[in-house]
Amino acid sequence: MAETKPQSAPSTDAHEKMGFWRQYIFSVDHKVIGKQYLFLGLFMGYVGVFLSYVFRWQLAWPGTAVPIWGKVTAPQYYELVTMHGTIMVFFVAMPVLLGAFGNFLIPLMVGARDMAFPRLNMASFWTILVGSVLLLISFFVPGGASHAGWTNYVPLSDASKYLPGNYWGGNLWLIALAIDFASVLMGGINFLTTAIAMRAPGMTIWRMPLFVWQELVASVLFMLSVGPLIAGVVMLLFDRMVGTGFFLPEKGADPLLWQHLFWFFGHPEVYVVAMPGLGIVQEILPVFARKSIFGYRMIVWAVIVAGILSFTVWAHHMFVSGMNPVLAEPFSATTIAISIPFAVMLFAMIATLWRGQITFSTPMLFALGALANFLLGGVTGIPLGTNASDIYLHDTYFVIAHFHNTLVPTAVIAGFGGIYYWFPKMFGRMMNETLGKLHFVFTWVGFNMVFVPLFLIGLGGGQRRIYMSSVYTFYKPLQPLHVIATIGLLVIIVGQIPFLLNFFLSMFRGAKAPANPWHANTLEWATDSPPPHENFHTIPTVVRGPYEYSVPGMEQDWAPQAAAVDAGAAQG
Amino acid sequence: MAAVTPLRPVSGLKRATALGGGGSAPAATPKAADPTLGVLIFIGSEVMLFAGLISAFLVSSASAPFWPPANQPRLPVAITGLNTGLLVLSGFTMWTVVRSLRQHDKTGAMRWMGATIVLGALFLAIQGSEWAGLIRFGLTMTSSLYGAMFYLIVGAHALHLAVAVAVLLFVATRVWRGRYEVDFRGVVACSVYWSFVVILWPIIYALVYFS
């Protein structure tokens, strides 16, 4: 923490030769760490998809043997849904959007040579790796991984009498989560410090790309909301391992306290994931529409307002929990209010497309797909945030369809768009467009095949977290919709084959990428692909905002933020 | 070409840089950022952690019929008040460390650093003996929700203080080896964190011991 190098040392091309381990494994370079996060996130993502494949098969054809897995037992079913949610939110969305893109892009976009605290950055990656390994180990401990649902409600998750045999699974779940939070905390400190204190000359805050803004607000949200949940996790660990009783009614405690602590974090967490995803979309849209983003400052203010409001909405998850019903009214009001800044952002993004010269390249397709589905996710949030309709819809598949339509467009669809868009910068090679488009069609069509039917199931009263739906007569008419949804998931899975081929083959065989293949303005395109050690040959001086495309009277239809192209960067 | 001014947005940051600057402000991107800024951001999270613990405490005490419960021992208010004084004193000695470094007084810095470490350790020792007594009288984490909350909050603070003492021990060896004669921003960052741990305690004391 206390190390500061003398200021006279930043000789630009001082490549000290490093061994393989220092350069690629225990690296303090934000670019390498970003890629490490990306690989971890992708791996955990496909683990999460596999889990969903098993329980989705069980939902469509209850009681039949799942190929590769076999028959699903009831405890296995709850283990699968719990771990799917936990992995996807905490070990995929956060590592990919904050860890991978945030790490790789923030220093490049603000014109810094690295993160503010490189060793803390490395520690952040290795911490989350330990957390991921512990979480995966929990599948193999006696009793299996946690069965308590990804929200881990007490008292079900609290005393072993409620979930007998799930002792170590539940403990490891809590420990892995605490480690994951510590990791993201370290990342957040770096993101904020870097963007506040290490910007290139001329990079005023109103010239920062929207992706940086979104990452910053997301980091602030995370850092200010995670404390109470860390407290809750520690209390729950004490309850389970020491026998305290922080959440047990028989010891005089209030079990709703856990829900408050969880959702005080859990709701801002939704935006921690959504904002960087929207940031990626906001970077891609202007480039492939060759138009300035519509309402740059308005978007920034909308993000800030949404960030502030996000701390006032958490109890809308608890309308049926038995909390004081008087509280439901103000929380409904704030929840409806928070859709306003997001609507502002969405309209600004749509207006960016208006009269643009749109190229339907793979990143753009993913960005547009994300935009469309995020709209659907946002609109369906209103009936859930309003207590009158939520009482009917609560704990149905409508809720599941809603939050998948907010998280998947931002974390997965926009995330894939980000991979296609920044792959040339990350690996110095281009990805294949045909395979990319194939990947998009399968992923996006498959995604909607899964989740549009789930909205209908939820409206029809289909409850979530039911292991054997075939035993309920009310579920009979809804069952075909589950079959469509599961076929949709299989479509998504097939669609990952072109992606994985494309990703790994392009990394080694793809066409060499120029410095600025998309003719984009932001600073990461002003340096080599991939960027050299310490990012820039000379730190660029920023002379304009990030989205000046098709400015009348200019020779080319883009105007880079940097005053001059970096001396060593190949012309693109 | 338009003149470009490097940005120093947060006013408190400017001061922190000036405190530890020992030289010119960097004209271009600084290679190593000010650790004080990182610590301040971290403290934001820490405040929220303790806010979570305190609200859990308030929720639990408000829903209990008797707080503290009838069969549980009372907390030693007086000796802890004295202990609070020790910790507040350590906040002042920590500031004096930074002031000595600014005046290039290494011996003074070492002396005040030592005083800070001793005061912090003394606080922990007195609190430890207090806990031993309370456990003897039957107040444990499992004896009641009251006991659980007491040890949770006071223990969380003690853990922070213990880590801070350990960091100070490490920093003291670096002061001794003369690492902070030009650039002592690391020590400033430590003092900011120490101040946080010190200021936090009277709040917890008032809340837990007088509820």
Side-chain angles (χ1 to χ4, degrees):
Chain A
M1 164 165 77
E3 181 176 320
T4 45
K5 284 181 190 160
Q7 295 298 337
S8 57
S11 61
T12 46
D13 284 313
H15 296 269
E16 39 177 316
K17 271 274 168 257
M18 289 180 289
F20 173 81
W21 288 91
R22 279 280 311 284
Q23 197 168 355
Y24 294 109
I25 309 298
F26 296 103
S27 173
V28 292
D29 182 345
H30 74 99
K31 300 185 288 295
V32 177
I33 296 170
K35 288 178 204 169
Q36 288 172 330
Y37 265 113
L38 183 62
F39 289 125
L40 175 71
L42 280 175
F43 172 75
M44 294 301 276
Y46 287 120
V47 171
V49 167
F50 177 74
L51 302 181
S52 71
Y53 152 77
V54 179
F55 67 71
R56 198 103 270 303
W57 188 286
Q58 162 73 16
L59 284 166
W61 301 288
T64 60
V66 182
I68 314 177
W69 180 277
K71 278 202 172 173
V72 181
T73 64
Q76 274 178 357
Y77 177 80
Y78 293 110
E79 182 184 1
L80 290 164
V81 293
T82 301
M83 297 306 275
H84 170 77
T86 308
I87 287 177
M88 288 306 201
V89 173
F90 298 113
F91 293 88
V92 178
M94 290 207 299
V96 169
L97 293 173
L98 298 163
F101 289 112
N103 251 311
F104 187 84
L105 291 169
I106 289 175
L108 282 168
M109 280 182 160
V110 303
R113 294 206 179 276
D114 203 325
M115 282 287 180
F117 310 112
R119 281 186 296 177
L120 187 70
N121 206 17
M122 179 176 79
S124 152
F125 173 73
W126 289 98
T127 311
I128 200 171
L129 188 68
V130 170
S132 314
V133 170
L134 281 181
L135 197 74
L136 292 177
I137 285 176
S138 79
F139 280 105
F140 304 102
V141 298
S146 172
H147 300 173
W150 84 277
T151 53
N152 210 43
Y153 275 7
V154 298
L156 182 65
S157 63
D158 194 311
S160 44
K161 67 183 167 195
Y162 299 113
L163 274 178
N166 200 211
Y167 182 69
W168 275 108
N171 290 351
L172 281 172
W173 188 91
L174 289 166
I175 294 166
L177 221 61
I179 292 175
D180 179 77
F181 294 156
S183 159
V184 183
L185 207 60
M186 294 183 226
I189 292 172
N190 251 324
F191 290 8
L192 290 167
T193 314
T194 306
I196 291 172
M198 300 186 66
R199 298 195 302 274
M203 179 59 84
T204 65
I205 56 166
W206 295 109
R207 283 176 180 169
M208 291 199 303
L210 286 168
F211 176 78
V212 177
W213 271 110
Q214 301 267 18
E215 287 277 344
L216 290 191
V217 177
S219 300
V220 171
L221 293 195
F222 179 84
M223 300 199 54
L224 294 184
S225 65
V226 77
L229 186 56
I230 291 181
V233 163
V234 170
M235 287 156 75
L236 196 47
L237 263 178
F238 270 116
D239 273 12
R240 294 177 62 94
M241 301 182 81
V242 181
T244 47
F246 288 114
F247 301 114
L248 285 178
E250 66 255 38
K251 300 243 176 143
D254 183 356
L256 277 192
L257 178 60
W258 168 265
Q259 293 192 26
H260 281 293
L261 294 175
F262 185 88
W263 288 116
F264 182 80
F265 163 79
H267 204 82
E269 165 68 15
V270 174
Y271 303 116
V272 171
V273 173
M275 284 173 175
L278 292 174
I280 291 172
V281 175
Q282 287 156 358
E283 291 307 313
I284 293 174
L285 291 182
V287 174
F288 294 100
R290 308 313 292 168
K291 251 192 83 197
S292 174
I293 192 104
F294 184 86
Y296 169 87
R297 287 203 182 207
M298 194 169 66
I299 293 177
V300 172
W301 285 116
V303 179
I304 293 170
V305 168
I308 295 167
L309 280 176
S310 76
F311 286 99
T312 64
V313 300
W314 80 90
H316 67 218
H317 296 269
M318 299 166 58
F319 288 150
V320 300
S321 68
M323 71 169 188
N324 189 341
V326 176
L327 277 177
E329 296 306 326
F331 279 105
S332 291
T334 52
T335 305
I336 294 166
I338 203 171
S339 59
I340 296 170
F342 281 100
V344 166
M345 268 187 263
L346 283 171
F347 281 116
M349 287 191 265
I350 294 167
T352 304
L353 299 172
W354 178 251
R355 291 191 172 171
Q357 294 187 331
I358 297 173
T359 319
F360 289 102
S361 62
T362 309
M364 186 64 165
L365 286 174
F366 275 100
L368 293 172
L371 189 56
N373 275 108
F374 189 75
L375 189 62
L376 188 56
V379 167
T380 52
I382 307 283
L384 293 175
T386 314
N387 61 338
S389 43
D390 179 68
I391 288 168
Y392 174 71
L393 292 170
H394 194 90
D395 263 341
T396 67
Y397 275 94
F398 192 88
V399 177
I400 298 201
H402 156 70
F403 71 68
H404 280 84
N405 264 290
T406 59
L407 293 174
V408 177
T410 49
V412 181
I413 299 181
F416 277 132
I419 290 177
Y420 284 98
Y421 182 62
W422 282 293
F423 189 90
K425 191 52 68 182
M426 285 184 172
F427 299 100
R429 291 179 187 269
M430 305 299 291
M431 286 180 95
N432 181 299
E433 275 287 304
T434 316
L435 287 174
K437 283 176 179 151
L438 211 60
H439 176 215
F440 168 74
V441 170
F442 275 92
T443 305
W444 194 74
V445 171
F447 170 73
N448 282 294
M449 257 179 90
V450 177
F451 290 101
V452 173
L454 292 199
F455 278 122
L456 303 176
I457 294 174
L459 286 171
Q463 292 288 305
R464 67 193 283 201
R465 288 179 178 160
I466 287 180
Y467 156 62
M468 194 67 83
S469 56
S470 54
V471 302
Y472 300 96
T473 43
F474 80 89
Y475 235 113
K476 286 261 153 57
L478 303 172
Q479 197 58 33
L481 291 167
H482 268 311
V483 175
I484 297 174
T486 302
I487 294 169
L489 177 66
L490 297 175
V491 171
I492 295 179
I493 291 173
V494 171
Q496 302 315 300
I497 298 168
F499 168 71
L500 290 171
L501 280 176
N502 197 356
F503 187 75
F504 288 107
L505 287 181
S506 303
M507 204 179 291
F508 302 104
R509 299 271 173 82
K512 285 263 186 230
N516 188 1
W518 315 116
H519 295 168
N521 287 345
T522 39
L523 282 188
E524 78 270 26
W525 305 107
T527 182
D528 298 348
S529 300
H533 186 63
E534 300 211 318
N535 295 349
F536 299 95
H537 299 281
T538 45
I539 289 291
T541 301
V542 176
V543 290
R544 57 175 73 82
Y547 303 112
E548 298 190 10
Y549 293 99
S550 306
V551 180
M554 283 191 76
E555 277 173 41
Q556 52 190 29
D557 68 350
W558 77 100
Q561 281 195 282
V565 174
D566 201 3
Q571 294 295 316
Chain B
M1 200 172 109
V4 182
T5 42
L7 283 144
R8 295 269 134 226
V10 183
S11 57
L13 167 72
K14 198 165 188 171
R15 202 177 140 263
T17 316
L19 269 178
S24 56
T29 319
K31 223 175 131 110
D34 193 334
T36 302
L37 182 56
V39 166
L40 282 173
I41 293 165
F42 180 57
I43 288 174
S45 287
E46 292 271 63
V47 166
M48 289 308 289
L49 169 69
F50 280 94
L53 291 171
I54 287 170
S55 33
F57 178 88
L58 292 175
V59 167
S60 303
S61 62
S63 54
F66 298 103
W67 194 270
N71 56 349
Q72 292 282 277
R74 294 296 173 269
L75 301 175
V77 172
I79 182 87
T80 311
L82 204 74
N83 217 8
T84 307
L86 290 182
L87 197 62
V88 171
L89 195 63
S90 82
F92 289 105
T93 56
M94 189 67 221
W95 290 349
T96 320
V97 173
V98 175
R99 216 173 58 189
S100 309
L101 281 175
R102 205 181 307 142
Q103 292 161 355
H104 307 290
D105 175 10
K106 195 175 109 177
T107 332
M110 281 305 292
R111 191 182 308 131
W112 290 113
M113 188 75 109
T116 312
I117 292 170
V118 167
L119 285 170
L122 200 60
F123 177 90
L124 287 173
I126 292 174
Q127 197 164 63
S129 73
E130 222 178 74
W131 282 25
L134 284 170
I135 290 169
R136 255 201 321 278
F137 285 118
L139 186 74
T140 66
M141 277 201 99
T142 49
S143 68
S144 65
L145 187 59
Y146 178 70
M149 277 292 169
F150 168 77
Y151 288 110
L152 179 75
I153 294 192
V154 176
H157 178 267
L159 192 67
H160 280 75
L161 187 61
V163 171
V165 168
V167 170
L168 273 199
L169 276 171
F170 170 70
V171 172
T173 62
R174 286 168 66 98
V175 173
W176 180 247
R177 283 187 278 146
R179 288 288 186 85
Y180 296 110
E181 272 158 22
V182 182
D183 181 352
F184 51 91
R185 296 187 297 177
V187 185
V188 175
C190 281
S191 80
V192 169
Y193 191 73
W194 189 270
S195 308
F196 162 71
V197 179
V198 168
I199 293 168
L200 188 62
W201 175 252
I203 301 168
I204 294 176
Y205 175 59
L207 192 81
V208 175
Y209 284 74
F210 292 94
S211 66

